[in-house]
Amino acid sequence: MENTNLNNQVVNLTKEDFVCDQIVKWCPGCGDHAILKVLQDVFPQLGRRKEDICVVSGIGCSSRFPHYMNTYGFHSIHGRACAIATGVKLANPNLSVWVVSGDGDCTAIGGNHFIHAVRRNMDMNLLLFNNRIYGMTKGQFSPCTFRGTVTKTSPQGTYEDPFNVGELVIGAGGKFFARGVDVNTKELTDICLRAKNHDGMSVIEVLQNCMIFSNGVHENITGKDVRDDMQVKCEHGKPLIFGKERNKGLRLNGTTLEVVTIGENGITEKDILVHDEKEENTGIHMMLAHMMPPAFPVAIGVIRNVDAPTYDDCLTDVIERESAKSNIKTVDDLLNSGTTWDIK
Amino acid sequence: MENTNLNNQVVNLTKEDFVCDQIVKWCPGCGDHAILKVLQDVFPQLGRRKEDICVVSGIGCSSRFPHYMNTYGFHSIHGRACAIATGVKLANPNLSVWVVSGDGDCTAIGGNHFIHAVRRNMDMNLLLFNNRIYGMTKGQFSPCTFRGTVTKTSPQGTYEDPFNVGELVIGAGGKFFARGVDVNTKELTDICLRAKNHDGMSVIEVLQNCMIFSNGVHENITGKDVRDDMQVKCEHGKPLIFGKERNKGLRLNGTTLEVVTIGENGITEKDILVHDEKEENTGIHMMLAHMMPPAFPVAIGVIRNVDAPTYDDCLTDVIERESAKSNIKTVDDLLNSGTTWDIK
Amino acid sequence: MANRSKVVELEHVVIRFAGDSGDGMQLTGNLFSDSTALAGNDFATFPDYPGEIRPPQGTVSGVSGFQVHFGHKPVHTTGDLCDVLVAMNPASIKANMRWLKPGTTIIFDVDSMNDKALEKAGYTADPTQDDTLSQYKVVKAPITSMTLEALKDFGWDRKAMLKSKNMFALGIVMYLFNRDITMLNGYFNTKFKNKPEIIKANQTVVAAGYSYADTMEIFANTYRIEPANLAKGKYRDITGNVATAWGLMAAAERSGRQIFCGSYPITPATDILAELVKYKNLKVKAFQAEDEIAGICSSLGASFAGCLAVTTTSGPGLSLKSEALGLAVMTELPLVVVDVQRGGPSTGLPTKSEQSDLMQAIYGRNGDAPLIVLAARSSADCFYSAYEAAKLAMEHMTPVILLTEGALGNGSEILRIPRVADLPAIVPPIAKANDPDYQPYKRDEETLARQWALPGTEGLRHRISGLEKANGSGNLSLDPKNHQLMTELREEKVQRVANYIPEQEIVGDPNADLLVVSWGGTYGVVLSVVEKMLEEGKSVAHAHFRHIMPLPKNTAKVLSGHKKILVCENNNGQFVNYLREKMPDFKYEQYNKIQGLPFLTAELENKFNDLLK
Amino acid sequence: MANRSKVVELEHVVIRFAGDSGDGMQLTGNLFSDSTALAGNDFATFPDYPGEIRPPQGTVSGVSGFQVHFGHKPVHTTGDLCDVLVAMNPASIKANMRWLKPGTTIIFDVDSMNDKALEKAGYTADPTQDDTLSQYKVVKAPITSMTLEALKDFGWDRKAMLKSKNMFALGIVMYLFNRDITMLNGYFNTKFKNKPEIIKANQTVVAAGYSYADTMEIFANTYRIEPANLAKGKYRDITGNVATAWGLMAAAERSGRQIFCGSYPITPATDILAELVKYKNLKVKAFQAEDEIAGICSSLGASFAGCLAVTTTSGPGLSLKSEALGLAVMTELPLVVVDVQRGGPSTGLPTKSEQSDLMQAIYGRNGDAPLIVLAARSSADCFYSAYEAAKLAMEHMTPVILLTEGALGNGSEILRIPRVADLPAIVPPIAKANDPDYQPYKRDEETLARQWALPGTEGLRHRISGLEKANGSGNLSLDPKNHQLMTELREEKVQRVANYIPEQEIVGDPNADLLVVSWGGTYGVVLSVVEKMLEEGKSVAHAHFRHIMPLPKNTAKVLSGHKKILVCENNNGQFVNYLREKMPDFKYEQYNKIQGLPFLTAELENKFNDLLK
Ligand SMILES: Cc1ncc(C[n+]2csc(CCOP(=O)(O)OP(=O)(O)O)c2C)c(N)n1
Ligand SMILES: Cc1ncc(C[n+]2csc(CCOP(=O)(O)OP(=O)(O)O)c2C)c(N)n1
Ligand code: SF4
Ligand code: SF4
Ligand SMILES: [Mg+2]
Ligand SMILES: [Mg+2]
């Protein structure tokens, strides 16, 4: 949908077109800067006028995002980005709607709107900046903080397991889920473009580093020495192979996944699970989304990408169908319909 | 936890102990009546005094439940049962806390508290009466209503897919999920007792019939002629066999489940997937929860039952640990700690 | 069919049809009001459902009622005490004792009387035998048996035949009010199209009831209510909730904006959503959200994107919308919030009507967050109030809360059908593409409204937020002076709406000794009483407020010159407190009824007369 | 070390430490207040953080400040205009111009001055060279270079050494106020335990600063502030948010109830939660919920289960809690809601202080839903206000909203440490096991409170809900009269709290021409001005309200007998409107500052004098 332009004008934009005049106020070194650059790279590739893009966010460091994008933007209230964006999109389905949210904004206070937007398959693209902390309020744990983490509100360490965003999305009926890393800008750009091409709700979890309050929280995944062994890139139709030597892979053993080494115990590339992002059944995508170090690498890239009708298209269709078949064309018609009588 | 009694008294109660003096106001024929009977059967088997049980609900037909149980009860506001119950349980971990909620109460307005109670693994038992409709407000579609259903607020049929409660729970990190049918009271009783024995959050989805606004919505599962073919009973350690002739079964074929017939194409009982409710990995439980007619039977019974620390136990533990090791025993100690000075 | 009893002329009549939930009283009431329309009377109706979905049969809590108030004179209320009660079983009598007055005619199905029925109704003895009903005229009609008799040739089973009992009762009532029963045929023909047998049966039973009343001479006399002196035009019957939905749709059409309504079901507001979802044919976008917060937030998003945005709810839902309402105030976007008030606080009395969300509407947000508050005064007026709410929201770029009430929403009245083109024009301040002077918070000099720059429009890209921003540019601003300025501007913008609304009207002598003040759904009953007392030459006047925030410009003048001001409300004194605050130069007395029930004319009259002493 | 300049006695002093976010100004300020404590002065402090987490270095938005107001006389405020400003870079001067007054001493690190720094600060020219600062005494000290010099033998790298710049500045200030620098040793020893080198370095640099000031004779004179005449006892410095947490904990201990706090982080209230979570050792149950609604709902559940239940938030969070607050009113359960107010509406100015949630606290719920509203007046007073809020909630079985403000929460004051046993007893009406007369809604005759029957207790099983219920039995009830009764009882219960709170105090002549009214955090500044004017013999008095709903019984008396009543607030006039409503017999004037900043003494004084003319 989003690659057609309303007036069929040629749209030739560059990164600079999307840079805003506002001073970017994130901490130096914050992962958000990298993601901002990515979106400023992605937006010219949407094939849409700047006016046809709307960025919606809640509250949080991440949610400052709209102020820095030279499009229409709505920086709203904490947790409500998905609900507001739903209204924007339904009001004007021609807009390309991008939601930016933090792990707190999206999975704490905003959890309900998030799972419902996912369930309804609203045609929007959501970037969830997961720094596993409340950054803006200065470092309290979030629903994505790992068990045992000491934060301002968990001096003895947290005693609750975090959400796995991917599992939550798939559990809510999500059709598109991808995971990227703030500093892997090339990869993240690709993911965003894949999201744009997906009709329906696309959720991209970005592992984002908060320099100040959760610095290094993704280090066991993104660190230079570990990243090859701790990330497996999901590419549709390709075997899930990873590792510095590209000799490790994922195999489905009965009902569970396991990490195997190619060349050991008679394992060959053929034994490795081939990624199928189009698989309707949720089981295998859940398993992929679930993986965490140290036992497993983290799945990066598009994990799930399944087609389904979007809510906004359905609404448009019903409206067209109903308007075509009804005799009531105006409110005057309506007022005069049914039982009426005249007084003379 | 819940089978010990605080004062080690012998607790010998019967169904009648839990019947309240209030007139039951559900419609004649409503599935809620059957579930009420089930719980009045289950509660005497908890091994707890009536005083140690608390039933918490939100708003809806189903949420009238606490008024009909002769225990402590809190009939609260729409969608907040899980949040209120969390406070009740944390305040007094000795209580056996039962939450009763409707599909609207729990997955529409209450969705956020629901997924968070599940994630935290609060030691509570939740019964979600799923009639796939807002009963109390006279028949609007809920997040569990099937696509295309005509209701008061969907005269042209709904155009959104419902949540699958099991998938939502598992996606949120749920450790115990079971599914039962209102009228299968024996089975439901067993499920409730299993839930009671599970430490942590147990979610029981009860397929409940609303006589008035969604009558027959579960008919393709519970109908006399179809139920054997459309329900597969999940029993830990047993093969997932079903069907009137008990000759159908579920087989895992690569990454997906399939229905096979024992005796056809060389299939024997050995090929049938054996149910493992203790499997930590979420994939297979998702697939089981996901199944829907006509292609699949619906999984009934305890689908997932995995051990994990409960939030309330963890809190109790930290409190004990911290109080044991600290010198500050009173607020006076605290007031006088740190930097203080005397004025003479 | 002509009617042979003595005919008495009446000015107006209140009739209540009451029976068990399954007895079809809503249908009967609707049919009767249809014939009332054809008779040219003014009328208003009110359904009185039980709280439960299917309450126990035969009990008091299972009684379903439908009241029709009709008259030759303008009808301002759905009526209080009944002139006629149709009671299909003993429980229906018990449940409605509160609505009887000496002399009320009770048409009672004697066949329904038996020990079990009495017990279920909570009677220890037959009330028609002891002196329970001695003050009333009880007409005992064998409705059940006569219905069976009338249908005996249809070959139906008993259960099917009993479904027509209500038609027999209707026939009796048609006779009582000298109505031609053929008036009902139109309705039968539409409702039971393609079911000729049913039409036939209904007609048969109505006729049987009519003849029974006639032949048995059960009434000493019958009544005629002359046609009302209504303005010429085409009329319809409309409930407040439907009128609200249609008023909003009319405003959307007139302003050229699509309508978007994000709502979550809640009694008694659900019907507005249920009405709006029907009109996909008119491009109405109605979105049933996951909760009230998503309801208002999706609407605010839609407002940003250029829709006439609406969210509908009742008290508890309004509470949940508080935070997002603040965002609407801050982003200065148009938004109509309809609150169909019910009994509070908390879940309260969800099926009862009340006026107790006023203070929450005015003040229920963090910070200084002013917005427009309006209140509809009757079911039909919901149409115009909703229209005005939408007009003010869009033209002044601000959220508006429209207060209606359960009784208005569920009740119905006749509406003289307007032409949308005749309604006041609505001209939202939509920013022009590529306007070089566009600034998100630049304001209109007169209204102080900012412009509405719709996403998609070239050259108007901008970002809004709930943070404080600089007047004009709209950039985020921590500047202390700017915050004071913006706080004052937000207040002033709402206050200036007083320049765009009508002056406050007063009925009666502007210097009457007693000024009675009301707002919202108490309009009709207060006005009736005041009118009556004016006819009696009492020094009383009535000021009914539709515009609450801001108050009309001449409010102080209207309040001046009276010995006493009495504020009547169905709450614990909210408007009176608000007046004390905004119009501190006057002394107010208050009269508050908080019973989930409307004022009775008699109680008001007593109160007013007391104060005049 | 003794100090050789001429010593001048002062009554009180306001000093502000300002530097870049990384410059350690908060630490410096804290150290200075510690020494102020040892010097026996009364004092109050206020941190002034930048809005961003890590704002751009060297810019105005990156300036972090810490203000200390100390004196020989009682200190009521954190001070307005500064006597001394320590400025570690040009941006610190620019950012704080608003707080200077003619004659302010600016101690400035001249080494920080260079073109880049000027540009970042937004200066086009060196402000110490042109007449920008001509009204002030600028002391140019080479702080950076002298620090490096002092630490040269430590073998540290430059960056490490520069971290001690603030200690050099502190040394200068210690000299200026004739403080013995050994006073700081205690703090160094605790803070840097096991790091002797750091202690040594800090001591060295402080001493260097001190000697520099002494040797270079940079001040014409130095100051001494005599110890304050404080009541005997043990004291500590406490922020309002910590005091709130501790006050609640004290109430829990005194009442024998465990404390449960379900909250969601929000600026500026988060620190109360962050404080409570520390005290697992004291069995505090603090639960970080998924949102504000879960925060209050979990607390209400905990209240039902027998805890002293608390939820803490700021404006937007209070909005979200509206619906559940109604449930608390309806279930008549004790609950303390702390609202640390910030600039509104909506997200507003989250890091600024305001008093604009008052009306929402009083009225922000559907239905007639009265509850108790209290407001703390200073940081230390948060302890007592929180204690009283908890006492009233439990003893009267009702929710209580305690309003504090960002400035109180983050600011600190000295607290004379009370003994918990000396605080008023708290005796909640807990129902007795197996009480045959127990009824869920049976009420105490005096307070009208119902009893608290704790789950687990034998013989008291009962069910509560948000629906209306029969007085006494608590069974669900649709009875009209009962609803009126319960509505009135809920109101009356809150009104009767007036019998359990102190009478309203008045400072100054009870018949003064001008009565100044305030509430909340404006207490100190208003009182200071009134006290000053009283000394000047002006006819002025001050009534500061802690109890807002209900008002103290003698409120009308306090308001009587004045020519004018002026209500001063940091909002657009909320308390004044509330007074107009509740105390309609008086005329009120109002003075409102809505700038995210406290009143200045001078502006109040002008206003008061104007009104006295
Ligand atoms: C209703 C409401 N509750 C709480 C807050 C305070 N608050 C602002 S941002 C935030 C959390 C931000 O965390 P996240 O969404 O993860 O974003 P990040 O700052 O980490 O990017 C909170 C709790 C608020 N602004 N509004
Ligand atoms: C805040 C709020 N919003 C809406 C409602 C109206 N409401 C009451 S029950 C209900 C839905 C009930 O559906 P469900 O939870 O599925 O229960 P059921 O009646 O089907 O058992 C709704 C929307 C309410 N009471 N409060
Ligand atoms: S606090 Fe963390 S998330 Fe926020 S801007 Fe700074 S580094 Fe980024
Ligand atoms: S409406 Fe439906 S769910 Fe509610 S009581 Fe009746 S049958 Fe049961
Ligand atoms: Mg975060
Ligand atoms: Mg339901």
Side-chain angles (χ1 to χ4, degrees), chain A residues 281-299:
Chain A
N281 203 316
T282 51
I284 186 67
H285 294 154
M286 280 294 274
M287 296 187 209
L288 289 175
H290 187 70
M291 297 188 305
M292 272 285 157
F296 286 92
V298 163

Short mmCIF file of all heavy atoms in Angstrom, two decimals, chain A residues 281-299:
data_model
loop_
_atom_site.label_atom_id
_atom_site.label_comp_id
_atom_site.label_asym_id
_atom_site.label_seq_id
_atom_site.Cartn_x
_atom_site.Cartn_y
_atom_site.Cartn_z
N ASN A 281 1.40 -21.27 11.39
CA ASN A 281 1.43 -21.85 12.72
C ASN A 281 2.44 -21.10 13.58
O ASN A 281 3.54 -20.78 13.13
CB ASN A 281 1.85 -23.32 12.57
CG ASN A 281 1.37 -24.13 13.74
OD1 ASN A 281 1.50 -23.69 14.87
ND2 ASN A 281 0.82 -25.29 13.46
N THR A 282 2.04 -20.82 14.80
CA THR A 282 2.87 -19.93 15.62
C THR A 282 4.02 -20.63 16.33
O THR A 282 4.96 -19.99 16.77
CB THR A 282 1.99 -19.29 16.71
OG1 THR A 282 1.28 -20.34 17.38
CG2 THR A 282 0.99 -18.34 16.11
N GLY A 283 3.93 -21.95 16.43
CA GLY A 283 4.87 -22.69 17.29
C GLY A 283 6.33 -22.40 17.00
O GLY A 283 7.09 -22.02 17.89
N ILE A 284 6.73 -22.56 15.76
CA ILE A 284 8.14 -22.44 15.46
C ILE A 284 8.65 -21.01 15.63
O ILE A 284 9.76 -20.77 16.12
CB ILE A 284 8.45 -23.00 14.03
CG1 ILE A 284 9.93 -23.02 13.78
CG2 ILE A 284 7.71 -22.20 12.95
CD1 ILE A 284 10.68 -24.00 14.64
N HIS A 285 7.80 -20.03 15.28
CA HIS A 285 8.22 -18.64 15.47
C HIS A 285 8.35 -18.31 16.96
O HIS A 285 9.21 -17.52 17.36
CB HIS A 285 7.23 -17.69 14.77
CG HIS A 285 7.24 -17.83 13.28
ND1 HIS A 285 6.17 -17.51 12.48
CD2 HIS A 285 8.19 -18.29 12.43
CE1 HIS A 285 6.46 -17.75 11.22
NE2 HIS A 285 7.69 -18.23 11.16
N MET A 286 7.48 -18.90 17.76
CA MET A 286 7.60 -18.72 19.21
C MET A 286 8.95 -19.22 19.69
O MET A 286 9.63 -18.59 20.48
CB MET A 286 6.51 -19.50 19.94
CG MET A 286 5.17 -18.84 19.96
SD MET A 286 5.15 -17.32 20.92
CE MET A 286 4.85 -17.96 22.57
N MET A 287 9.32 -20.40 19.21
CA MET A 287 10.58 -20.97 19.66
C MET A 287 11.76 -20.09 19.26
O MET A 287 12.69 -19.89 20.03
CB MET A 287 10.76 -22.36 19.05
CG MET A 287 9.72 -23.37 19.52
SD MET A 287 10.16 -25.02 18.91
CE MET A 287 8.53 -25.76 18.78
N LEU A 288 11.68 -19.56 18.06
CA LEU A 288 12.77 -18.69 17.60
C LEU A 288 12.81 -17.40 18.43
O LEU A 288 13.87 -16.96 18.88
CB LEU A 288 12.59 -18.35 16.12
CG LEU A 288 12.84 -19.50 15.14
CD1 LEU A 288 12.50 -19.07 13.71
CD2 LEU A 288 14.30 -19.97 15.21
N ALA A 289 11.64 -16.81 18.63
CA ALA A 289 11.59 -15.56 19.39
C ALA A 289 12.07 -15.78 20.82
O ALA A 289 12.68 -14.90 21.43
CB ALA A 289 10.17 -15.01 19.39
N HIS A 290 11.80 -16.96 21.32
CA HIS A 290 12.09 -17.30 22.71
C HIS A 290 13.59 -17.37 23.02
O HIS A 290 14.01 -17.14 24.16
CB HIS A 290 11.46 -18.67 22.99
CG HIS A 290 11.52 -19.12 24.42
ND1 HIS A 290 10.77 -18.52 25.41
CD2 HIS A 290 12.24 -20.08 25.03
CE1 HIS A 290 11.01 -19.13 26.56
NE2 HIS A 290 11.91 -20.08 26.36
N MET A 291 14.38 -17.70 22.04
CA MET A 291 15.80 -18.00 22.31
C MET A 291 16.55 -16.85 22.97
O MET A 291 16.40 -15.70 22.60
CB MET A 291 16.49 -18.35 20.99
CG MET A 291 15.96 -19.60 20.31
SD MET A 291 16.97 -20.08 18.89
CE MET A 291 16.96 -18.58 17.93
N MET A 292 17.38 -17.22 23.93
CA MET A 292 18.15 -16.23 24.70
C MET A 292 19.50 -16.82 25.04
O MET A 292 19.59 -18.03 25.29
CB MET A 292 17.42 -15.95 26.04
CG MET A 292 16.38 -14.87 25.96
SD MET A 292 17.17 -13.26 25.90
CE MET A 292 15.85 -12.32 25.14
N PRO A 293 20.52 -16.01 25.12
CA PRO A 293 21.81 -16.50 25.60
C PRO A 293 21.68 -16.90 27.06
O PRO A 293 20.78 -16.39 27.73
CB PRO A 293 22.75 -15.31 25.46
CG PRO A 293 21.98 -14.24 24.76
CD PRO A 293 20.55 -14.60 24.83
N PRO A 294 22.52 -17.72 27.62
CA PRO A 294 23.69 -18.28 26.93
C PRO A 294 23.39 -19.54 26.12
O PRO A 294 24.18 -19.89 25.25
CB PRO A 294 24.62 -18.63 28.10
CG PRO A 294 23.69 -18.92 29.23
CD PRO A 294 22.50 -18.04 29.06
N ALA A 295 22.25 -20.19 26.39
CA ALA A 295 22.01 -21.48 25.73
C ALA A 295 21.80 -21.32 24.23
O ALA A 295 22.15 -22.20 23.45
CB ALA A 295 20.80 -22.17 26.38
N PHE A 296 21.21 -20.19 23.86
CA PHE A 296 20.86 -20.01 22.46
C PHE A 296 21.34 -18.64 21.96
O PHE A 296 21.49 -17.71 22.76
CB PHE A 296 19.33 -20.06 22.28
CG PHE A 296 18.77 -21.44 22.39
CD1 PHE A 296 18.32 -21.93 23.60
CD2 PHE A 296 18.69 -22.25 21.26
CE1 PHE A 296 17.79 -23.21 23.69
CE2 PHE A 296 18.16 -23.54 21.35
CZ PHE A 296 17.72 -24.02 22.57
N PRO A 297 21.49 -18.53 20.68
CA PRO A 297 21.69 -17.19 20.13
C PRO A 297 20.34 -16.49 20.06
O PRO A 297 19.30 -17.15 20.16
CB PRO A 297 22.21 -17.48 18.72
CG PRO A 297 21.54 -18.77 18.36
CD PRO A 297 21.45 -19.57 19.64
N VAL A 298 20.37 -15.18 19.92
CA VAL A 298 19.12 -14.43 19.77
C VAL A 298 18.78 -14.34 18.28
O VAL A 298 19.66 -14.10 17.46
CB VAL A 298 19.28 -13.03 20.39
CG1 VAL A 298 18.19 -12.10 19.91
CG2 VAL A 298 19.27 -13.14 21.90
N ALA A 299 17.52 -14.55 17.98
CA ALA A 299 17.10 -14.47 16.58
C ALA A 299 16.97 -13.00 16.18
O ALA A 299 16.29 -12.22 16.84
CB ALA A 299 15.76 -15.19 16.40
#
